[in-house]
Amino acid sequence: MEPNKTSDYPQELWYALEDYNHGLISRRKFIERARNITVGGLAGIALLESLSPNYAWGQQVPTDDSRVTTEYATAPSPEGNGSIRGYLARPANATGRLPGVIVIHGASSLNPHIEDIARRLATENFMAFAPDGATSVGGNAGGDTRSGEELLRQVDPAKMEEDFVAATNWLMSRDDCTGKVAVAGFCFGGGMTNTLAVRMPDLTAAVPFYGRAPETADVSKIRAAVLVHHAELDERLLAGWPAYEEALKANNVQYEGYIYAEANHAFFNDSGRRYGEAAAKLAWERTLTFLNSHLR
C-alpha cells in the first residue's frame, strides 16, 4: 500500500521537495537528490508524483454544503493588477454583519484546499474571502502545484502585494462586514499575512502559518494582534521566528506564537503528504479561539 503519512518519508525528501516547489532546484536536481530514496516501492519520478496533493483528502466542508453560500467575486485593485478574483464564503443563515477573514494561499496560488478553509470559516460564522494572486495571469484552475507556482512567479511581486491589500480593503468595506478583518495565510500566504500586518494599520488580526517573518524594523508598524504557527522541522522559516518574536515583544504587539513538535512545513494542509493531524487540529482550535476573541 502506498504510504500517506509524513513519517513514512525521510526528512531529507521533504527538504528537497520544498526546494523544488519553490523553484530553488530543477526537477532533474530533485530526482538526483531523491535517487537513493525509495518509499513504498516508489523512487525517482514516481516518488515525486506520489507527493502531489489530493484535494479530496482535504475536503472537510463539501462545495454544496447547505451551511454555506459561496461565489467567485472580484475586487478592484487600481494600484495593483487592476483587479483580483477570489472565492467568497459566507454562512447560509447569516443575519446582520459578519467579521471577515482573508485566506491567502501558498506559492501554488488559489486551490481547492484554500477554498475549503474559507468554507470552514463560514461554518464558524465568519465571512471569508480567498483571493487568487495569480488572477492577472489567468489563475490556476484545478490547483496544480507546479503550474501554480510557475504562474505566481510571472506576477510582479509589488503589484501582487497591492492586489492583496485591495482584496483586504474590499472585504473590510463591504456592507455585510463589520469592518473587523483578519488575514490568515499559509507558506507564501503566511509571509504575505505578515506583510499586510505591517502595511495595514486597520487590520484587526493576523494569523501566519509557517510564513516568512517581516523585517525586524517594520514590526513597530503592526497594530493587529498576531498569532504565529511554525513547524519544528521547518528549519528555514523557523529560523526567522526568534528575532520576530523579540521584535513583537519590544514593540508591545499583542501576539501568540507556537511551534508544533515533530511537524513539517505545510502540516496544516490535509490534502498533502506532510499533513500532521494532531498539530493541524490544535492550530485550528487556537486560530478559531484567537479570531473569535479579536473579531467578535
Side-chain angles (χ1 to χ4, degrees):
M1 180 181 296
E2 187 178 343
N4 58 15
K5 301 193 301 294
T6 303
S7 59
D8 289 330
Y9 297 81
Q11 188 60 37
E12 64 263 28
L13 182 64
W14 295 124
Y15 293 142
L17 180 67
E18 202 60 31
D19 288 345
Y20 171 63
N21 283 342
H22 288 82
L24 301 177
I25 61 174
S26 66
R27 179 185 175 92
R28 179 178 179 180
K29 186 65 176 179
F30 173 87
I31 299 301
E32 288 178 0
R33 286 173 61 174
R35 182 171 293 157
N36 297 321
I37 300 173
T38 302
V39 181
L42 301 175
I45 294 174
L47 181 57
L48 175 59
E49 294 303 318
S50 79
L51 300 177
S52 298
N54 183 331
Y55 294 118
W57 295 340
Q59 188 181 88
Q60 294 190 22
V61 181
T63 56
D64 60 353
D65 194 299
S66 62
R67 294 173 296 172
V68 302
T69 60
T70 63
E71 63 179 296
Y72 289 96
T74 300
S77 179
E79 301 300 319
N81 288 290
S83 64
I84 181 166
R85 182 175 183 265
Y87 184 77
L88 180 67
R90 301 175 74 256
N93 60 352
T95 57
R97 297 188 299 167
L98 296 170
V101 183
I102 295 287
V103 185
I104 304 183
H105 55 72
S108 59
S109 73
L110 184 61
N111 60 55
H113 167 64
I114 296 298
E115 292 179 354
D116 191 76
I117 292 173
R119 292 194 298 274
R120 295 176 205 178
L121 287 163
T123 67
E124 299 290 340
N125 207 36
F126 296 98
M127 59 185 306
F129 184 57
D132 186 358
T135 296
S136 62
V137 290
N140 183 30
D144 180 78
T145 300
R146 281 301 292 167
S147 62
E149 295 191 352
E150 289 166 1
L151 282 170
L152 214 61
R153 284 196 288 271
Q154 296 174 24
V155 184
D156 178 86
K159 286 189 174 182
M160 187 180 353
E161 182 178 316
E162 295 300 331
D163 289 340
F164 285 115
V165 170
T168 307
N169 282 327
W170 175 82
L171 185 66
M172 200 177 292
S173 62
R174 282 176 60 100
D175 291 340
D176 52 356
C177 180
T178 62
K180 290 188 175 183
V181 169
V183 178
F186 305 83
C187 186
F188 161 84
M192 186 59 66
T193 297
N194 284 322
T195 296
L196 296 185
V198 167
R199 283 204 51 183
M200 303 187 71
D202 293 337
L203 195 66
T204 303
V207 186
F209 279 75
Y210 28 83
R212 174 180 48 80
E215 295 294 327
T216 301
D218 289 336
V219 175
S220 62
K221 301 174 185 176
I222 295 177
R223 298 293 177 266
V226 179
L227 169 60
V228 177
H229 300 294
H230 271 300
E232 182 182 37
L233 300 177
D234 189 6
E235 296 177 351
R236 183 181 299 149
L237 289 171
L238 184 58
W241 170 235
Y244 186 16
E245 182 175 31
E246 284 304 309
L248 289 167
K249 290 178 180 177
N251 288 283
N252 297 312
V253 177
Q254 187 174 358
Y255 84 96
E256 299 175 34
Y258 300 98
I259 300 172
Y260 295 84
E262 300 182 5
N264 248 295
H265 182 81
F267 70 82
F268 190 78
N269 186 351
D270 48 2
S271 69
R273 302 280 187 182
R274 285 174 287 184
Y275 175 56
E277 183 177 12
K281 287 183 175 180
L282 180 56
W284 186 241
E285 290 171 3
R286 287 169 168 165
T287 296
L288 291 178
T289 298
F290 182 82
L291 293 176
N292 279 310
S293 173
H294 292 284
L295 298 184
R296 302 293 181 192

